[in-house]
Amino acid sequence: MIPVAVLISGRGSNMAALLEAAAVPGFPARIALVLSNRPGAAGLAHAAAHGIEALCIDHRPFGRDRAAHEAALHAALQARGIGLVCLAGYMRLLTPFLVGAWTGRMLNIHPSLLPAFPGLDTHARALAAGVKLHGCTVHLVTDIMDDGPILAQAAVPVLPGDGVDDLAARVLAQEHRLYPLALRLHAAGLPGRYDPAASLLSPLPGPAAGT
Ligand code: GRF
């Protein structure tokens, strides 16, 4: 099983979904580390309560030295033999150093149907644009923010009367299904890890009703 680190900055609900999925026998990856750049991230307590190493490498003591902060992150990942990194609400822009060190092995989840609405405030922007479909994307991380090869997407309707919170909740429910699926597919598809049971044609795990 490939050891995975999940990088968070806050709530950590996607991280929790990954933990839950990875606990199921046969999942091709195990969550070995949850790493936050913010000491107060709620997700750290959740990870620790589930017996997962929860580590904070606070970015603030590094000031503007992003390279030094990333070097500390990278050293922590390497020291634990991490094979894949999942960004899950990790609110720091990455430099080419960390992206380059993890090319093909770093995933991100973004709350829009990329390439539409990269960046922040995706739900408000989707409502303002009047799109009828919105959703979420899991992609490989490259030097361009919210770009990179798309691994999986899930779409939701934008319904009449939706506010930002309605739409965010509808998308988030899909994020919690999509990220575990994308991690499973990607981990199983790495060299030597082919898993014939992992297919995009398989139904998404979890209940679909009401989402
Ligand atoms: C999610 O909407 C994710 O798509 C975005 O940041 C949010 C993180 O939420 N990148 P959580 O911390 O996983 O609950």
Side-chain angles (χ1 to χ4, degrees):
M1 280 188 296
I2 300 174
V4 174
V6 185
L7 270 55
I8 63 170
S9 295
R11 180 175 59 180
S13 70
N14 277 288
M15 175 273 295
L18 291 172
L19 285 195
E20 192 179 334
V24 174
F27 198 87
R30 70 182 171 86
I31 311 302
L33 175 68
V34 171
L35 180 49
S36 172
N37 66 309
R38 290 197 181 130
L44 285 174
H46 180 90
H50 286 75
I52 309 292
E53 184 185 5
L55 178 67
C56 177
I57 301 181
D58 193 340
H59 63 278
R60 289 171 302 185
F62 294 88
R64 293 185 176 187
D65 194 349
R66 281 182 188 274
H69 181 244
E70 288 192 354
L73 290 183
H74 188 58
L77 298 172
Q78 284 196 307
R80 289 157 181 83
I82 296 299
L84 278 174
V85 174
C86 289
L87 305 181
Y90 185 68
M91 301 301 284
R92 297 277 295 172
L93 290 176
L94 302 181
T95 76
F97 160 70
L98 201 64
V99 173
W102 290 91
T103 300
R105 297 185 300 147
M106 182 181 276
L107 284 61
N108 181 46
I109 187 156
H110 181 74
S112 79
L113 292 172
L114 292 173
F117 310 122
L120 298 174
D121 301 322
T122 57
H123 308 308
R125 289 158 60 206
L127 288 174
V131 297
K132 302 301 178 201
L133 277 178
H134 186 44
C136 50
T137 302
V138 177
H139 65 96
L140 292 173
V141 175
T142 63
D143 282 339
I144 303 173
M145 185 189 68
D146 299 332
D147 200 89
I150 290 172
L151 298 178
Q153 291 185 306
V156 302
V158 181
L159 300 177
D162 268 352
V164 168
D165 291 347
D166 305 302
L167 194 50
R170 196 173 303 126
V171 171
L172 191 65
Q174 294 304 314
E175 292 186 41
H176 295 163
R177 301 169 69 205
L178 190 72
Y179 213 172
L181 172 71
L183 174 59
R184 182 162 67 88
L185 289 171
H186 193 65
L190 289 176
R193 313 260 346 151
Y194 177 67
D195 173 5
S199 164
L200 273 177
L201 298 178
S202 306
L204 280 169
T211 59

